[in-house]
Amino acid sequence: MRLVFATNNDNKVREINHILGDNFSLLSLGDLGLNEDIPENEPTIEGNALHKARYIYNRLNIPVFADDTGLEIDALNGLPGVHSARFAGDTKDSAANIEKVLCMMKDAVNRSARFRTVIALIIDDNEFLFEGVVKGTIISEKRGKEGFGYDPVFVPEGQDRTFAEMLLGEKNQISHRAIAFEKLKTFLNNYPETYNKPG
Ligand code: IMP
């Protein structure tokens, strides 16, 4: 099945290609000659994922999915949430984002948080959402050099290391994104046979 992944991030495309396996031929926006950034101005993670998928589906009318992720911290009433990438400004600076979070949480007793990924899939004019959640704790100092974003301050539940102290392969076994994409894979593998037949 040919599928478009509505992202310009080639690392993500490679990672997801690996998860989805050989049954699917994944196309990135770059493969389609679409190099524009799709706006992400919706007020929710679900809204952003759906907006990106609809933006491409309305143009190309082929199966498409998009993902959006946020870190939701209980002591901050769910922030940074949908604002995770630009929490400290438009430069998307991870160090500044972490600094802002730690500063806002300096007196927080409740350190619980979760990463949440939502994938929006549009296929045959129908929309489907898949969610992956990893619960954890925000520690008060950065630890580890792997990963990206908020990884150095997030310790997943049941672990004693941050995501940034894990190798990529380890993180990918338990991550919010992996959970959501496994759900997408299961769905697509069971999608009506007729859809896969030519003509
Ligand atoms: P995106 O929707 O995947 O682009 O993620 C939005 C923002 O959430 C990123 O810019 C990061 O700041 C943060 N984020 C997403 N996934 C992760 C992760 O696995 N670890 C740490 N931060 C993440």
Side-chain angles (χ1 to χ4, degrees), residues 12 67-69 84-85 115 148-151 171 176-177:
K12 267 193 190 174
D67 72 329
D68 201 55
T69 296
S84 292
F115 274 114
F148 69 101
Y150 300 89
D151 281 348
K171 178 185 167 190
H176 39 292
R177 222 177 336 275

Side-chain angles (χ1 to χ4, degrees), residues 29-81:
L29 294 184
D31 293 331
L32 299 166
L34 297 169
N35 292 313
E36 55 193 307
D37 261 341
I38 306 173
E40 297 185 51
N41 300 324
E42 300 299 316
T44 62
I45 293 172
E46 284 80 359
N48 266 343
L50 268 171
H51 176 77
K52 287 186 276 187
R54 285 175 186 158
Y55 188 92
I56 298 302
Y57 192 77
N58 290 341
R59 275 162 188 71
L60 305 177
N61 203 32
I62 60 174
V64 56
F65 64 86
D67 72 329
D68 201 55
T69 296
L71 173 65
E72 299 175 332
I73 300 174
D74 291 331
L76 304 182
N77 294 320
L79 285 175

Side-chain angles (χ1 to χ4, degrees), residues 4-183:
V4 177
F5 184 6
T7 180
N8 284 313
N9 183 335
D10 288 338
N11 288 326
K12 267 193 190 174
V13 177
R14 264 194 296 278
E15 182 184 320
I16 302 318
N17 233 334
H18 188 71
I19 292 178
L20 291 183
D22 293 340
N23 284 346
F24 304 96
S25 143
L26 209 55
L27 301 169
S28 70
L29 294 184
D31 293 331
L32 299 166
L34 297 169
N35 292 313
E36 55 193 307
D37 261 341
I38 306 173
E40 297 185 51
N41 300 324
E42 300 299 316
T44 62
I45 293 172
E46 284 80 359
N48 266 343
L50 268 171
H51 176 77
K52 287 186 276 187
R54 285 175 186 158
Y55 188 92
I56 298 302
Y57 192 77
N58 290 341
R59 275 162 188 71
L60 305 177
N61 203 32
I62 60 174
V64 56
F65 64 86
D67 72 329
D68 201 55
T69 296
L71 173 65
E72 299 175 332
I73 300 174
D74 291 331
L76 304 182
N77 294 320
L79 285 175
V82 73
H83 309 291
S84 292
R86 296 179 169 80
F87 197 43
D90 278 341
T91 50
K92 299 189 183 179
D93 179 341
S94 292
N97 287 339
I98 289 178
E99 207 173 302
K100 182 169 177 183
V101 159
L102 293 184
C103 180
M104 289 173 80
M105 290 184 76
K106 71 178 176 341
D107 298 322
V109 178
N110 178 2
R111 314 285 304 184
S112 60
R114 59 187 198 156
F115 274 114
R116 196 161 72 87
T117 293
V118 173
I119 300 167
L121 167 73
I122 310 181
I123 190 165
D124 295 340
D125 288 341
N126 293 311
E127 297 180 337
F128 303 92
L129 294 178
F130 306 89
E131 183 184 65
V133 172
V134 172
K135 292 184 191 167
T137 302
I138 303 296
I139 56 171
S140 51
E141 278 180 3
K142 294 200 263 184
R143 280 188 351 221
K145 299 273 178 239
E146 304 293 327
F148 69 101
Y150 300 89
D151 281 348
V153 291
F154 185 84
V155 177
E157 205 171 73
Q159 309 280 330
D160 50 17
R161 289 173 300 158
T162 66
F163 265 158
E165 292 176 302
M166 297 179 187
L167 296 175
L168 185 62
E170 285 180 272
K171 178 185 167 190
N172 282 346
Q173 301 243 324
I174 58 171
S175 83
H176 39 292
R177 222 177 336 275
I179 294 168
F181 276 100
E182 284 295 338
K183 287 183 184 174

